[in-house]
């Protein structure tokens, strides 16, 4: 992980250094700020390489950024960017389509090699995360990948999934989870392509991305909220899940009397047949086979 802050430079040189070395040299953009406002400029960023992508978190005083045609020619990126706005909001313009604002907590997507201008909307300046995913690393190749002008991520069903994957990606980076990071980066790329209409949700890659994202969302929901909900309940979360699995197995035994009990146990989430028999007997006072026989006699 690489970190850098303008505190490492003399105050009168901070914006000039940021503009020439960091903005243009590292990010391939042109930074603009009135000379009389440069003395108080502050900026910092971190850069992590993970899962075949680059994750940048940036905070800075207000200034204007432009990715011009000459910037693109000098520093082509050929990557899909997923932006997460963490500050007071930002404005994007100067590209094909309408200008737009992105609110705190919202997302936007784009291809790196299309021109745009952006600036923070509030006095607090920039605070955002940017995930840059090389097009060459995205399995779902399509010529439209390079035609993605900046646009907000507007799908209300996909945005929470994107947020969960972003949060898990940060944790995977901190914990050194390379395998998790790779799957999360691919999921984020494909969620962006689903939202932009390039990838079908029902395709194999679309389904895999949605599955990864829903797992992230469910895990974070459990970690943050459900344990608190179950603190005052009669049964713990794990006990509640086991009860639901047992109910599902009984329903399957009724609906599919020819299906093997071992197959039903596995499909309901029991990794061990012995465990399934044990908890079933403890809950209902009989073995699954006896329950099935009793149910048949009742009908």
């Amino acid at each position: 992980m690489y970190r850098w802050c303008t505190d490492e430079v003399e105050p009168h040189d901070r914006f000039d250094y940021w503009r020439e070395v960091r903005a243009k040299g590292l990010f391939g953009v042109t930074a603009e700020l009135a000379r009389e406002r440069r003395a108080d400029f502050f900026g910092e960023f971190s850069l992590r390489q993970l899962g075949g992508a680059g994750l940048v978190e940036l905070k800075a005083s207000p200034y204007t950024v432009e990715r011009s045609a000459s910037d693109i020619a000098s520093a082509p990126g050929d990557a899909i960017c997923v932006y997460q706005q963490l500050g007071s909001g930002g404005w994007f313009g100067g590209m094909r389509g309408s200008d737009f604002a992105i609110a705190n907590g919202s997302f936007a997507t784009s291809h790196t090699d299309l021109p745009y201008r952006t600036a923070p909307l509030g006095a607090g300046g920039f605070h955002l995360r940017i995930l840059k995913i090389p097009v060459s690393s995205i399995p779902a190749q399509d010529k439209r990948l390079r035609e993605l002008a900046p646009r907000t991520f507007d799908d209300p069903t996909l945005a929470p999934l994107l947020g969960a994957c972003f949060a898990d990606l940060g944790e995977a980076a901190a914990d050194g989870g390379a395998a998790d990071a790779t799957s999360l980066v691919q999921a984020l790329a494909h969620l962006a392509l689903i939202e932009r209409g390039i990838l079908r949700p029902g395709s194999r890659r679309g389904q895999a991305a949605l599955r990864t994202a829903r797992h992230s969302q469910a895990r974070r929901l459990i970690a943050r909220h459900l344990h608190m909900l179950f603190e005052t309940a009669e049964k713990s979360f794990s006990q509640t899940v086991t009860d639901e699995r047992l109910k599902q197995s009984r329903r399957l035994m009724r609906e599919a009397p020819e299906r093997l009990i071992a197959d039903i146990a596995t499909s309901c989430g029991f990794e061990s047949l012995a465990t399934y028999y044990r908890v079933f007997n403890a809950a209902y006072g009989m073995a699954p086979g006896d329950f099935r026989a009793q149910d048949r006699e009742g009908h």
Side-chain angles (χ1 to χ4, degrees):
M1 179 175 176
Y2 178 69
R3 292 182 181 273
W4 189 84
C5 176
T6 49
D7 288 347
E8 299 178 21
V9 181
E10 292 296 323
H12 61 278
D13 292 329
R14 285 176 179 172
F15 182 75
D16 288 341
Y17 189 92
W18 182 271
R19 179 185 59 194
E20 298 302 324
V21 178
R22 299 307 171 189
K24 189 169 290 291
L26 186 60
F27 300 120
V29 297
T30 299
E32 300 172 356
L33 182 63
R35 187 166 295 279
E36 63 271 17
R37 297 175 57 195
R38 295 180 183 181
D40 298 325
F41 179 78
F42 171 83
E44 65 178 352
F45 71 90
S46 64
L47 171 62
R48 294 184 177 115
Q49 295 292 335
L50 65 159
L55 179 63
V56 174
E57 182 164 349
L58 181 147
K59 296 180 183 179
S61 307
Y63 67 102
T64 301
V65 173
E66 181 179 11
R67 175 82 163 147
S68 66
S70 60
D71 290 327
I72 294 166
S74 299
D78 198 23
I80 299 300
C81 285
V82 183
Y83 308 84
Q84 183 180 25
Q85 181 69 39
L86 300 174
S88 55
W91 165 85
F92 276 85
M95 65 281 178
R96 289 176 294 176
S98 303
D99 296 2
F100 66 87
I102 177 170
N104 180 29
S106 297
F107 297 90
T109 53
S110 73
H111 186 271
T112 53
D113 297 344
L114 294 172
Y116 66 87
R117 290 177 64 84
T118 184
L121 290 175
F126 286 106
H127 185 193
L128 67 159
R129 291 194 188 104
I130 309 169
L131 182 67
K132 291 188 176 183
I133 310 163
V135 167
S136 60
S137 72
I138 300 174
Q141 291 292 311
D142 189 296
K143 66 179 183 179
R144 291 174 293 173
L145 291 175
R146 295 181 174 88
E147 300 171 357
L148 298 178
R151 197 181 81 183
T152 51
F153 201 97
D154 293 327
D155 191 315
T157 61
L158 291 177
L161 299 178
L162 201 75
C165 285
F166 241 109
D168 273 3
L169 186 63
E171 292 181 4
D175 298 338
D180 289 341
T182 299
S183 65
L184 288 166
V185 166
Q186 289 298 317
L188 284 161
H190 288 141
L191 287 174
L193 299 186
I194 289 171
E195 200 271 343
R196 298 298 290 262
I198 294 176
L199 185 68
R200 291 185 298 104
S203 67
R204 180 174 58 83
R205 293 191 177 101
Q207 288 181 334
L210 290 168
R211 186 164 54 248
T212 296
R214 286 167 180 154
H215 179 267
S216 288
Q217 186 182 40
R219 189 185 66 79
R220 301 193 72 79
L221 183 65
I222 291 168
R224 290 181 180 179
H225 303 295
L226 289 188
H227 69 281
M228 292 184 290
L229 295 176
F230 283 89
E231 281 178 356
T232 58
E234 294 181 3
K235 295 180 180 180
S236 69
F237 175 72
S238 61
Q239 289 172 323
T240 303
V241 170
T242 298
D243 285 352
E244 291 302 315
R245 287 173 172 170
L246 288 172
K247 289 177 184 177
Q248 184 182 17
S249 74
R250 292 206 310 172
R251 185 175 69 254
L252 289 175
M253 280 192 280
R254 291 193 184 103
E255 294 174 354
E258 74 290 345
R259 192 171 176 182
L260 294 176
I261 289 176
D263 182 36
I264 289 175
T266 301
S267 68
C268 293
F270 292 96
E271 296 182 359
S272 165
L273 186 60
T275 299
Y276 173 62
Y277 270 80
R278 176 174 55 79
V279 296
F280 193 101
N281 189 69
Y284 304 118
M286 66 180 73
D290 294 334
F291 169 81
R292 172 173 270 177
Q294 186 181 82
D295 187 66
R296 284 172 176 168
E297 291 173 1
H299 289 82

